PDB file of all heavy atoms in Angstrom:
ATOM      1  N   LEU G  85     108.577 -88.321 234.932  1.00 77.00           N
ATOM      2  CA  LEU G  85     107.245 -88.533 234.455  1.00 77.00           C
ATOM      3  C   LEU G  85     106.265 -88.134 235.513  1.00 77.00           C
ATOM      4  O   LEU G  85     105.103 -87.635 235.191  1.00 77.00           O
ATOM      5  CB  LEU G  85     107.029 -90.002 234.032  1.00 77.00           C
ATOM      6  CG  LEU G  85     107.928 -90.421 232.726  1.00 77.00           C
ATOM      7  CD1 LEU G  85     107.730 -91.949 232.499  1.00 77.00           C
ATOM      8  CD2 LEU G  85     107.478 -89.587 231.551  1.00 77.00           C
ATOM      9  N   ASP G  86     106.571 -88.458 236.756  1.00 76.00           N
ATOM     10  CA  ASP G  86     105.630 -88.089 237.861  1.00 76.00           C
ATOM     11  C   ASP G  86     105.572 -86.599 237.929  1.00 76.00           C
ATOM     12  O   ASP G  86     104.371 -86.168 238.088  1.00 76.00           O
ATOM     13  CB  ASP G  86     106.205 -88.618 239.230  1.00 76.00           C
ATOM     14  CG  ASP G  86     106.029 -90.099 239.413  1.00 76.00           C
ATOM     15  OD1 ASP G  86     105.332 -90.716 238.615  1.00 76.00           O
ATOM     16  OD2 ASP G  86     106.689 -90.570 240.259  1.00 76.00           O
ATOM     17  N   GLU G  87     106.568 -85.964 237.757  1.00 77.00           N
ATOM     18  CA  GLU G  87     106.577 -84.544 237.926  1.00 77.00           C
ATOM     19  C   GLU G  87     105.733 -83.829 236.794  1.00 77.00           C
ATOM     20  O   GLU G  87     104.935 -82.946 236.952  1.00 77.00           O
ATOM     21  CB  GLU G  87     107.948 -83.863 237.836  1.00 77.00           C
ATOM     22  CG  GLU G  87     108.809 -84.298 239.016  1.00 77.00           C
ATOM     23  CD  GLU G  87     110.294 -83.957 238.930  1.00 77.00           C
ATOM     24  OE1 GLU G  87     110.674 -83.478 237.813  1.00 77.00           O
ATOM     25  OE2 GLU G  87     111.032 -84.311 239.831  1.00 77.00           O
ATOM     26  N   ALA G  88     105.855 -84.305 235.532  1.00 81.00           N
ATOM     27  CA  ALA G  88     105.151 -83.935 234.319  1.00 81.00           C
ATOM     28  C   ALA G  88     103.667 -84.140 234.639  1.00 81.00           C
ATOM     29  O   ALA G  88     102.832 -83.234 234.328  1.00 81.00           O
ATOM     30  CB  ALA G  88     105.674 -84.545 233.101  1.00 81.00           C
ATOM     31  N   GLU G  89     103.324 -85.365 235.039  1.00 81.00           N
ATOM     32  CA  GLU G  89     101.924 -85.681 235.203  1.00 81.00           C
ATOM     33  C   GLU G  89     101.298 -84.924 236.351  1.00 81.00           C
ATOM     34  O   GLU G  89     100.135 -84.434 236.248  1.00 81.00           O
ATOM     35  CB  GLU G  89     101.757 -87.136 235.505  1.00 81.00           C
ATOM     36  CG  GLU G  89     100.247 -87.600 235.493  1.00 81.00           C
ATOM     37  CD  GLU G  89      99.967 -89.120 235.424  1.00 81.00           C
ATOM     38  OE1 GLU G  89     101.052 -89.826 235.338  1.00 81.00           O
ATOM     39  OE2 GLU G  89      98.791 -89.526 235.437  1.00 81.00           O
ATOM     40  N   ALA G  90     102.094 -84.552 237.347  1.00 79.00           N
ATOM     41  CA  ALA G  90     101.617 -83.679 238.479  1.00 79.00           C
ATOM     42  C   ALA G  90     101.118 -82.320 238.023  1.00 79.00           C
ATOM     43  O   ALA G  90     100.038 -81.906 238.315  1.00 79.00           O
ATOM     44  CB  ALA G  90     102.627 -83.591 239.572  1.00 79.00           C
ATOM     45  N   LEU G  91     101.958 -81.755 237.155  1.00 80.00           N
ATOM     46  CA  LEU G  91     101.690 -80.421 236.550  1.00 80.00           C
ATOM     47  C   LEU G  91     100.509 -80.529 235.587  1.00 80.00           C
ATOM     48  O   LEU G  91      99.647 -79.599 235.521  1.00 80.00           O
ATOM     49  CB  LEU G  91     102.965 -79.815 235.974  1.00 80.00           C
ATOM     50  CG  LEU G  91     104.020 -79.563 236.812  1.00 80.00           C
ATOM     51  CD1 LEU G  91     105.285 -79.004 236.056  1.00 80.00           C
ATOM     52  CD2 LEU G  91     103.761 -78.574 237.863  1.00 80.00           C
ATOM     53  N   ASP G  92     100.455 -81.692 234.812  1.00 81.00           N
ATOM     54  CA  ASP G  92      99.452 -81.735 233.826  1.00 81.00           C
ATOM     55  C   ASP G  92      98.060 -81.983 234.472  1.00 81.00           C
ATOM     56  O   ASP G  92      96.953 -81.646 233.885  1.00 81.00           O
ATOM     57  CB  ASP G  92      99.765 -82.935 232.905  1.00 81.00           C
ATOM     58  CG  ASP G  92     100.792 -82.612 231.894  1.00 81.00           C
ATOM     59  OD1 ASP G  92     101.183 -81.400 231.676  1.00 81.00           O
ATOM     60  OD2 ASP G  92     101.460 -83.538 231.321  1.00 81.00           O
ATOM     61  N   THR G  93      98.035 -82.597 235.586  1.00 84.00           N
ATOM     62  CA  THR G  93      96.742 -82.795 236.280  1.00 84.00           C
ATOM     63  C   THR G  93      96.185 -81.604 237.100  1.00 84.00           C
ATOM     64  O   THR G  93      95.173 -81.682 237.743  1.00 84.00           O
ATOM     65  CB  THR G  93      96.759 -84.001 237.209  1.00 84.00           C
ATOM     66  OG1 THR G  93      97.830 -83.906 238.189  1.00 84.00           O
ATOM     67  CG2 THR G  93      96.968 -85.250 236.353  1.00 84.00           C
ATOM     68  N   GLY G  94      97.035 -80.584 237.176  1.00 85.00           N
ATOM     69  CA  GLY G  94      96.594 -79.286 237.831  1.00 85.00           C
ATOM     70  C   GLY G  94      97.377 -78.927 238.958  1.00 85.00           C
ATOM     71  O   GLY G  94      97.012 -77.890 239.656  1.00 85.00           O
ATOM     72  N   ALA G  95      98.418 -79.627 239.464  1.00 88.00           N
ATOM     73  CA  ALA G  95      99.280 -79.227 240.548  1.00 88.00           C
ATOM     74  C   ALA G  95      99.977 -77.828 240.311  1.00 88.00           C
ATOM     75  O   ALA G  95     100.324 -77.654 239.128  1.00 88.00           O
ATOM     76  CB  ALA G  95     100.176 -80.366 240.954  1.00 88.00           C
ATOM     77  N   ASP G  96     100.231 -77.078 241.255  1.00 88.00           N
ATOM     78  CA  ASP G  96     100.930 -75.754 241.085  1.00 88.00           C
ATOM     79  C   ASP G  96     102.398 -75.963 241.098  1.00 88.00           C
ATOM     80  O   ASP G  96     103.241 -75.216 240.696  1.00 88.00           O
ATOM     81  CB  ASP G  96     100.551 -74.773 242.125  1.00 88.00           C
ATOM     82  CG  ASP G  96      98.998 -74.512 241.919  1.00 88.00           C
ATOM     83  OD1 ASP G  96      98.620 -73.603 241.225  1.00 88.00           O
ATOM     84  OD2 ASP G  96      98.180 -75.181 242.667  1.00 88.00           O
ATOM     85  N   ASP G  97     102.896 -77.006 241.980  1.00 89.00           N
ATOM     86  CA  ASP G  97     104.287 -77.278 242.144  1.00 89.00           C
ATOM     87  C   ASP G  97     104.455 -78.716 242.535  1.00 89.00           C
ATOM     88  O   ASP G  97     103.486 -79.518 242.841  1.00 89.00           O
ATOM     89  CB  ASP G  97     104.850 -76.310 243.195  1.00 89.00           C
ATOM     90  CG  ASP G  97     106.267 -76.177 243.216  1.00 89.00           C
ATOM     91  OD1 ASP G  97     106.994 -76.765 242.359  1.00 89.00           O
ATOM     92  OD2 ASP G  97     106.816 -75.344 244.018  1.00 89.00           O
ATOM     93  N   PHE G  98     105.768 -79.164 242.585  1.00 87.00           N
ATOM     94  CA  PHE G  98     105.992 -80.489 242.970  1.00 87.00           C
ATOM     95  C   PHE G  98     107.322 -80.526 243.657  1.00 87.00           C
ATOM     96  O   PHE G  98     108.174 -79.661 243.552  1.00 87.00           O
ATOM     97  CB  PHE G  98     106.102 -81.485 241.808  1.00 87.00           C
ATOM     98  CG  PHE G  98     107.142 -81.125 240.724  1.00 87.00           C
ATOM     99  CD1 PHE G  98     108.488 -81.398 240.848  1.00 87.00           C
ATOM    100  CD2 PHE G  98     106.742 -80.368 239.592  1.00 87.00           C
ATOM    101  CE1 PHE G  98     109.417 -81.028 240.012  1.00 87.00           C
ATOM    102  CE2 PHE G  98     107.724 -79.939 238.717  1.00 87.00           C
ATOM    103  CZ  PHE G  98     109.031 -80.344 238.823  1.00 87.00           C
TER     104      PHE G  98
END
Side-chain angles (χ1 to χ4, degrees):
L85 294 178
D86 286 347
E87 294 167 0
E89 190 167 356
L91 296 175
D92 287 341
T93 54
D96 299 273
D97 200 356
F98 60 83

